[in-house]
Amino acid sequence: MSAKNNLRTIGKTNMENVLKLLMVEKELSRGDLAKRLGVSKMTITNIISELKGHGYVQEEKSNRSTPSNGPIPMVISIVPNSLLTIGVHISFTEITVQLVDVVDGILYQTHARVDNIDSNQQLAKRIRGVIYKVLEENPEIQTKIIGIGITYSGGAETTGANNNFSASQIKKTEIDLKNSLEKEFGITIAIGNEIQGAMIAELVFGKEVGQEKVYYMNASKQIRGGFINNYIIIHGACGLSGEIAHLTVKYDGPLCLCGSRGCYNLYAGIEVLLKHSKCHSIDELHLKIQERDPLALRIIEEYIQITTVVFTNIVNLYDPASILVGGDLTKLDKSIFRKIERLLNERIIYRKERYIKVRMSSIEKAATIMGAAMLVYENWFVCKQ
Ligand SMILES: [Zn+2]
């Protein structure tokens, strides 16, 4: 690589880092940006003028409350509707497509069916169809779209897949799909599993993730998870860091589809909870808990005990400052996770010196779907080393 290329790469990385920090912090002064990135104020001045030239950032008086006796500081923020991405999320039941702005959130949403797809060619055709629909219905934004993100449910295993194609099939042809869509639309296409996108969505749109170490669990049809540290998502050797569904909670428990025994998802998956409590939906389970139905309470008590064991292991192993819970299960009574928090803090090592909060995501289930659009920023947030 020539020196010129090296310089260009360094410049690009700093620019991306400025945008990333503004995405999560919303507004920062030039001085704060220089301090946070460890670069000179002159470097920040150059980056800001270039980003202003592209129309990505603006500089104005802070909207945040400031000490009444001081001047209101000038801060840099991202211009609304200047960084748009399209997200395509493929679940077991449907394809959801969103147009998402990093400032204003979801601007447009539509759905496509996922049935009658039995080959990856058909899947690619349906994805193309929905992307064209978004572009046709929002003609004014076409030049502002910087990328398309595609995520699908399913990671280490394909449990629960009831359609004819599976996550593992998509994974096998990911590169072909990426190349063909990039050629067709002429912009970046990012394809990946849903949990990393969901974690980026939590960082950008949620209120709970700061710079500290956080373990994130998304408890929906599948239980997924991952680690975030100082706005960086830990990828692991194969992208499976922090996956929680197949942690062994009973060494001689029933066989799991993954080939192991007594996995966490066999006790704490939504389908298992509904089946054992004889409920048809999370809402029904929530109602039965409120009504103090004995069966529902027993099932939830077991969920609390097993989840406490899993969280205790995570905390003892990884030492996060807090645990963040998102996904469908957050619809249940908040007292469930308050009890898990209490039990967890009675069990962890060094419990006298620390207290681990178990917090609920402010964007709950939305993270999973918005995560598709956020996956475009994967290279800024996910540490693959
Ligand atoms: Zn398993």
Side-chain angles (χ1 to χ4, degrees), residues 11-269:
K12 190 166 174 272
T13 308
N14 274 335
M15 226 156 55
E16 289 172 350
N17 283 337
V18 166
L19 288 174
K20 172 187 166 172
L21 267 184
L22 293 173
M23 274 162 77
V24 291
E25 300 276 3
K26 311 309 171 204
E27 55 172 52
L28 285 169
S29 68
R30 287 172 182 244
D32 287 341
L33 279 168
K35 214 190 288 173
R36 292 282 293 270
L37 296 176
V39 297
S40 68
K41 282 195 178 170
M42 180 56 89
T43 305
I44 290 297
T45 302
N46 292 338
I47 294 170
I48 297 304
S49 63
E50 187 161 0
L51 288 173
K52 275 185 179 172
H54 288 299
Y56 290 147
V57 303
Q58 58 195 4
E59 189 164 24
E60 52 190 16
K61 285 182 177 168
S62 174
N63 289 320
R64 289 182 187 163
S65 58
T66 45
S68 53
N69 53 355
I72 300 172
M74 295 296 284
V75 288
I76 315 286
S77 61
I78 294 176
V79 174
N81 296 344
S82 68
L83 286 173
L84 301 182
T85 54
I86 293 176
V88 180
H89 180 252
I90 305 156
S91 79
F92 301 117
T93 50
E94 64 180 356
I95 300 174
T96 309
V97 187
Q98 293 181 333
L99 176 64
V100 177
D101 172 42
V102 293
V103 180
D104 288 341
I106 302 163
L107 304 179
Y108 170 89
Q109 178 168 301
T110 186
H111 300 277
R113 289 160 58 148
V114 82
D115 54 349
N116 295 323
I117 294 177
D118 52 18
S119 70
N120 286 293
Q121 282 78 14
Q122 282 177 341
L123 176 66
K125 200 176 156 195
R126 197 141 320 164
I127 291 173
R128 276 191 192 90
V130 283
I131 294 171
Y132 277 120
K133 191 175 170 201
V134 178
L135 295 175
E136 277 159 21
E137 292 185 13
N138 302 276
E140 74 286 356
I141 48 88
Q142 293 206 13
T143 55
K144 292 179 182 170
I145 294 176
I146 61 162
I148 299 171
I150 300 170
T151 58
Y152 47 88
S153 295
E157 84 303 318
T158 56
T159 45
N162 51 13
N163 42 11
N164 293 329
F165 70 90
S166 67
S168 59
Q169 269 176 292
I170 299 176
K171 186 138 191 70
K172 270 184 220 146
T173 53
E174 227 177 75
I175 301 296
D176 292 343
L177 189 62
K178 180 178 155 71
N179 290 343
S180 73
L181 292 174
E182 262 174 5
K183 210 167 148 194
E184 183 154 356
F185 294 102
I187 48 176
T188 306
I189 307 284
I191 306 182
N193 74 47
E194 61 186 355
I195 191 66
Q196 290 182 347
M199 286 193 277
I200 302 173
E202 289 288 350
L203 282 167
V204 176
F205 299 109
K207 296 188 182 78
E208 290 75 14
V209 192
Q211 276 177 275
E212 60 183 25
K213 273 187 186 180
V214 175
Y215 179 75
Y216 173 66
M217 174 176 85
N218 188 302
S220 295
K221 192 175 173 102
Q222 291 182 314
I223 309 167
R224 309 294 305 273
F227 295 110
I228 305 171
N229 186 12
N230 193 18
Y231 303 146
I232 291 168
I233 291 158
I234 312 301
H235 185 263
C238 305
L240 298 172
S241 174
E243 289 291 6
I244 195 175
H246 299 279
L247 286 186
T248 306
V249 293
K250 283 187 185 169
Y251 75 91
D252 56 352
L255 254 181
C256 176
L257 278 177
C258 76
S260 183
R261 284 186 180 279
C263 295
Y264 178 52
N265 70 333
L266 297 177
Y267 302 92

